[in-house]
Amino acid sequence: MKLTRYTDYALRVLIHLAVHENELASIGRIASRYLISQNHLMKVVQDLSRAGFVETIRGRNGGLRLARPAAEINVGDLVRHTEGGFDLVECGGCVIAPACGLPRVLAEATKAFLATLDRYTIADLSTRPADLRALFALRDTDAAVSGDVLDSDGVTMSDDQHS
């Protein structure tokens, strides 16, 4: 099973916000730290906000923060929210579907996968906040030193390419 990029980005946003729990973050800063598309991240954050995972504060001093403590945000709940479905194979049109045991086995595997995710929270994914903050700070320094900027498609471009 492979999770979608959408879920990956959602997890990244929540981990970033958990690590920086005492400050507001911007979509642009999160995107540049992870070197991912700001446009894609904006859609993810809007969805996370509507679903009650993230709180958005408008205005000049606005930004993002977790809508509740990281220890109360369950990873399984987030994955269920961001993933469209968990049917690993499409059995509806298969000639052996009425007698095949594959759907039952895959359903069991999916249930076990989600049960494992249900045992963890966003706080569990960010147990080394000082190390994570240091890695984010390195990303900030790298961008400042190289003059690279992430464009809306997630492509890194140097300042002279923007002119």
Side-chain angles (χ1 to χ4, degrees):
M1 172 180 261
K2 182 175 180 179
L3 298 176
T4 61
R5 181 174 293 162
Y6 192 89
T7 297
D8 175 27
Y9 287 5
L11 286 163
R12 291 182 196 212
V13 167
L14 295 183
I15 291 168
H16 184 278
L17 296 177
V19 168
H20 297 91
E21 65 184 333
N22 295 324
E23 55 191 85
L24 294 175
S26 71
I27 293 172
R29 170 157 264 180
I30 295 170
S32 69
R33 286 178 166 177
Y34 284 120
L35 292 177
I36 58 180
S37 167
Q38 187 170 331
N39 287 341
H40 288 107
L41 202 59
M42 195 174 309
K43 295 172 190 172
V44 171
V45 167
Q46 288 172 348
D47 180 44
L48 292 175
S49 177
R50 282 190 303 270
F53 291 103
V54 170
E55 180 181 6
T56 59
I57 291 88
R58 294 193 178 275
R60 180 182 172 126
N61 296 317
L64 313 169
R65 65 180 169 210
L66 294 177
R68 55 188 187 271
E72 295 178 15
I73 301 174
N74 182 272
V75 175
D77 290 343
L78 175 72
V79 169
R80 282 181 187 86
H81 173 75
T82 56
E83 290 295 318
F86 291 97
D87 294 332
L88 299 180
V89 294
E90 179 57 48
C91 297
C94 180
V95 68
I96 65 169
C100 182
L102 181 61
R104 177 183 47 79
V105 171
L106 293 178
E108 181 181 337
T110 300
K111 184 177 178 182
F113 174 73
L114 291 171
T116 299
L117 294 179
D118 285 339
R119 293 193 329 246
Y120 297 95
T121 66
I122 295 301
D124 295 320
L125 305 181
S126 53
T127 58
R128 296 171 49 194
D131 292 339
L132 291 168
R133 280 191 296 273
L135 290 167
F136 285 131
L138 283 174
R139 176 65 69 196
D140 291 342
T141 303
D142 288 346
V145 169
S146 69
D148 288 346
V149 177
L150 190 69
D151 78 0
S152 62
D153 294 323
V155 176
T156 303
M157 299 178 3
S158 61
D159 285 336
D160 59 335
Q161 290 175 301
H162 291 284
S163 314

